[in-house]
Amino acid sequence: MPEALEKSTDYERLIKVFGVSKLTEEIINELPEVHKLFKIGYFFAHRDFDKIVKRWKEGETFAILTGRGPSGGLHLGHLLIFDFVLWMQKTFKVPVFIPLSDDEKYVFKKVKNLRDSEFYAYDNALDIIALGYDERWTNFFISTKMLDVYQLAVTLSRHVTLNEVKAVFGFTDSDNPGKYFYAVVQSAHILYPTWRKGFVSLVPIAIDQDPYIRLSRDIAERVKLPKPAALHSKYLPGLTGEPMSASKPETAIFLTDKPKEIKKKIWQALTGGQPTIEEQREKGGNPEKCVVFQWLETFLLEPKEAQELKERCKRGEQLCGDCKKMLYKGLVKKLKDHHKRKIEAIDKVERYFMHPVD
Ligand code: SF4
C-alpha cells in the first residue's frame, strides 16, 4: 500500500486529529435498518449523528446535504455516496439537497467557463437521478443560479473572518477573491435547508473534509441556526492504491468507461496476492491490503460473501485472476444497467431542480 494512503487510513488517529466522535455499535443499532456501508465500517465517525437519529425517532425530520462540483463525469466512488444518500432518503423519508457548485469549479479553474460547468451539472444530475431518487424529496440546484443561496452567503460572510477562511482552506494572498467567497457559499449550501426550510442538515463527507463542516458549525452558532451534523467516511482507495482522481484515470472507473477500459484498469489493479500461483496456494493472500477485495466488498458483495472470500484468500484457495474477473463482470453489468436508467431520466430531469427564489 502506498505510504500516503497507509498514513491516511489510521482511522483511530484521524478521529483524534479532527476531534470527531466514533460511530459506535450503539448508535448504529438505533437505526431502522443498517446499510452495508455501516456494516463494513466505511462510515466510522460523526458529529451529532446520534442527536439527529434521536430527534428523528421523536418525529423531527432532517435534510441530507451532499454536493457535487461539476467539472467532469462521475466515477464509481462518487456514485457510492449518492447510492448511500438514496438509501437514507428511502429509509428516513427525508429531503435531499444536492448543490451543484459551478462557482467552485470556475474559481478553482477546473472549467473554462460557467457554461461548461452547467453542462456537467446536468450530466451529473442525470447519473444521480438514475439511481432512483424520488423527485418529491430531491432538490438539485446550480449554485450561481440560486439567488437565495447568494443572499444567505452574503449574510453569513459578516460572521467569518478572512483569517478563519485562510486557516481552514489554506489560501494565500495570491489566491483569487472568488475562492475566499466560495468558502462562505459552501457554508450557505450546508445551512440552506436549515435557513430556508427549518431542517437540520446532515452531511455525509470524507473525513479530510471535516474542517469545512467545523467552519459551517461555527458560523451556524454565530447566526443562531442549529449546527449541521456530519457522517464521516473512510477513503476507498483507487485501483492503483492511490486516491481516486479524475487526473489519474487509471485509479477510478468512470461511468462512461467502456468494458475494454474497465478490463485494463482492473487487470492492473493492486492486489494482496503472492507473486506466483504456487506461492498464493501455499501462503495465502492478504485481503486487508488488497484493493480488488475492497472494491468487491464495497460495490458487489454482501458482507457475508465478502467474509467468505476473505477467508478463502487467506487459506490460499482463491486466486487474484478469479477476483479480478468477478469484479470486471459485476461492474460492467452495473454500468450497463445504469446507462439504461440514465437515458430514462432525461425527460424528467428538470423536475428535480430547484429554481431561484427571491
Ligand atoms: Fe485480493 Fe482476491 Fe488476490 Fe486475495 S485472491 S489477494 S482477495 S485479489
Side-chain angles (χ1 to χ4, degrees):
M1 192 181 281
E3 200 192 345
L5 191 71
E6 200 144 22
K7 271 192 193 144
S8 69
T9 51
D10 180 356
Y11 294 110
E12 291 295 332
R13 183 182 65 85
L14 291 179
I15 286 176
K16 284 203 192 105
V17 168
F18 288 106
V20 295
S21 307
K22 191 172 179 171
L23 191 61
T24 58
E25 286 275 313
E26 207 185 336
I27 301 170
I28 292 172
N29 289 339
E30 287 297 314
L31 305 178
E33 277 175 43
V34 183
H35 189 275
K36 185 170 104 174
L37 294 186
F38 289 122
K39 288 184 190 160
I40 64 173
Y42 182 73
F43 287 105
F44 71 105
H46 73 106
R47 286 188 188 272
D48 290 347
F49 181 58
D50 50 345
K51 289 184 190 156
I52 288 252
V53 173
K54 185 169 176 279
R55 286 198 219 110
W56 177 80
K57 286 191 147 180
E58 291 162 2
E60 198 179 300
T61 199
F62 61 93
I64 303 173
L65 189 294
T66 182
R68 162 74 191 149
S71 60
L74 297 183
H75 58 59
L76 282 173
H78 299 125
L79 225 53
L80 186 65
I81 288 295
F82 286 109
D83 236 337
F84 171 75
V85 170
L86 170 65
W87 173 84
M88 290 284 289
Q89 181 182 69
K90 285 184 176 163
T91 306
F92 291 87
K93 310 266 182 305
V94 290
V96 174
F97 290 78
I98 306 176
L100 298 157
S101 45
D102 56 338
D103 39 10
E104 176 199 3
K105 291 298 158 186
Y106 182 71
V107 299
F108 282 87
K109 299 186 180 164
K110 301 290 181 195
V111 285
K112 272 209 297 290
N113 53 52
L114 287 170
R115 194 176 293 176
D116 283 359
S117 192
E118 187 176 344
F119 167 82
Y120 289 121
Y122 275 95
D123 183 65
N124 294 172
L126 281 173
D127 278 317
I128 296 165
I129 293 166
L131 296 173
Y133 276 83
D134 184 332
E135 67 184 72
R136 293 167 302 167
W137 296 89
T138 309
N139 308 280
F140 284 93
F141 59 84
I142 295 181
S143 194
T144 57
K145 293 187 186 290
M146 286 287 284
L147 180 58
D148 52 352
V149 167
Y150 177 67
Q151 287 172 345
L152 177 58
V154 171
T155 308
L156 300 182
S157 70
R158 269 179 38 178
H159 300 272
V160 60
T161 67
L162 210 53
N163 277 341
E164 282 179 295
V165 173
K166 275 186 182 173
V168 170
F169 290 82
F171 298 152
T172 65
D173 288 353
S174 59
D175 281 300
N176 70 54
K179 291 186 186 176
Y180 285 89
F181 188 66
Y182 181 72
V184 280
V185 172
Q186 189 174 58
S187 289
H189 291 166
I190 292 173
L191 296 175
Y192 182 80
T194 318
W195 178 69
R196 188 47 102 176
K197 312 274 180 188
F199 306 137
V200 176
S201 297
L202 170 68
V203 189
I205 200 165
I207 185 71
D208 62 340
Q209 312 277 304
D210 183 70
Y212 313 143
I213 293 291
R214 220 169 49 223
L215 181 68
S216 297
R217 284 168 64 90
D218 288 349
I219 297 174
E221 202 166 22
R222 292 170 202 164
V223 296
K224 309 215 172 350
L225 284 172
K227 292 183 194 178
L231 253 183
H232 299 98
S233 70
K234 294 181 175 175
Y235 310 85
L236 177 68
L239 287 168
T240 55
E242 304 156 276
M244 278 187 246
S245 158
S247 60
K248 290 188 176 173
E250 67 280 11
T251 58
I253 303 280
F254 291 86
L255 305 189
T256 48
D257 281 354
K258 300 276 175 288
K260 210 171 151 194
E261 286 167 282
I262 298 175
K263 192 171 204 173
K264 191 171 166 212
K265 289 179 184 181
I266 291 177
W267 255 254
Q268 288 170 351
L270 188 74
T271 72
Q274 303 294 345
T276 64
I277 293 180
E278 291 68 37
E279 277 180 84
Q280 178 83 357
R281 295 242 187 258
E282 192 191 321
K283 299 178 190 161
N286 190 347
E288 270 84 22
K289 291 202 167 167
C290 175
V291 172
V292 172
F293 174 77
Q294 284 187 57
W295 277 52
L296 281 168
E297 181 185 47
T298 307
F299 292 112
L300 298 176
L301 300 179
E302 289 305 315
K304 195 169 165 265
E305 294 172 313
Q307 190 54 38
E308 285 165 8
L309 175 66
K310 196 185 240 182
E311 298 305 326
R312 281 204 304 281
C313 169
K314 284 182 181 168
R315 291 196 300 264
E317 294 165 11
Q318 183 75 22
L319 297 179
C320 298
D322 292 335
C323 284
K324 286 178 174 177
K325 256 186 236 160
M326 196 190 325
L327 184 61
Y328 165 73
K329 279 192 184 159
L331 293 185
V332 166
K333 173 159 187 339
K334 196 178 168 73
L335 289 184
K336 201 171 154 209
D337 296 345
H338 179 81
H339 290 309
K340 245 193 249 159
R341 293 196 305 268
K342 183 174 179 178
I343 290 168
E344 287 161 14
I346 291 173
D347 289 340
K348 53 182 183 178
V349 62
E350 271 304 332
R351 304 209 293 264
Y352 287 78
F353 272 76
M354 293 175 80
H355 292 288
V357 182
D358 54 26

